[in-house]
Amino acid sequence: QVQLVESGGGLVQAGGSLRLSCAASGRVFSSYAMGWFRQAPGKEREFVASINSSGGNTYYADSVKGRFTISRDNAKNTVYLQMNSLKPEDTAVYYCAAGRIAIATMPNLYSYWGQGTQVTVSS
C-alpha cells in the first residue's frame, strides 16, 4: 500500500514557475514508477510526465516538454514536478500516481493516486 500526498500548488502568473512535490508513504517507493497527471474542469485526466523507479528514464507530454521537469529522491520518498514558463492552459488539478510499471502514460496502469493539488495560472 502506498499513500501519496501532493503539495506546492497555487496561483501564479503566466510565465512563472511552481514546484510540485508528492510525498509517498511506505518502504517500497523506490520500486514504483511515478507519474504526474492533470485534470482541468470539464476535461479528462491527462498525462503530464512519468519517471521510472530509479529515476534514470523520464517521459513527457508534448504540451509540457521543455518546460516541465520530473525528478525523484528515493531517499526522501518524494517525486517532484518543476514547472517553468507556465501558461494559462496549464491550469488544472495536478495528481501524482504510483505504479509497478516501467514507465507509462495511461492512468489505468497506475495503482495509487494522491488527492491532487490545484495549479492556477493567470494571464
Side-chain angles (χ1 to χ4, degrees):
Q1 188 79 7
V2 177
Q3 293 184 325
L4 304 173
V5 179
E6 302 96 335
S7 61
L11 174 64
V12 64
Q13 289 188 334
S17 298
L18 282 174
R19 188 195 197 200
L20 304 183
S21 299
C22 174
S25 65
R27 297 175 293 174
V28 293
F29 174 76
S30 60
S31 300
Y32 287 82
M34 300 297 295
W36 285 97
F37 292 78
R38 65 187 182 187
Q39 188 166 18
K43 295 187 177 180
E44 292 188 354
R45 190 168 298 191
E46 67 170 351
F47 169 77
V48 175
S50 182
I51 188 167
N52 72 337
S53 58
S54 69
N57 289 316
T58 58
Y59 190 76
Y60 297 91
D62 287 343
S63 58
V64 307
K65 200 173 295 182
R67 300 188 297 123
F68 291 10
T69 302
I70 188 171
S71 62
R72 66 190 296 160
D73 185 337
N74 285 345
K76 295 183 178 180
N77 281 12
T78 302
V79 63
Y80 305 97
L81 185 68
Q82 177 67 45
M83 305 186 295
N84 299 328
S85 301
L86 282 161
K87 305 175 181 180
E89 51 264 42
D90 294 318
T91 295
V93 176
Y94 283 71
Y95 300 89
C96 70
R100 285 193 179 272
I101 49 181
I103 197 166
T105 64
M106 300 297 292
N108 62 342
L109 296 180
Y110 289 83
S111 301
Y112 303 102
W113 291 82
Q115 294 298 308
T117 185
Q118 176 71 47
V119 171
T120 304
V121 184
S122 63
S123 58

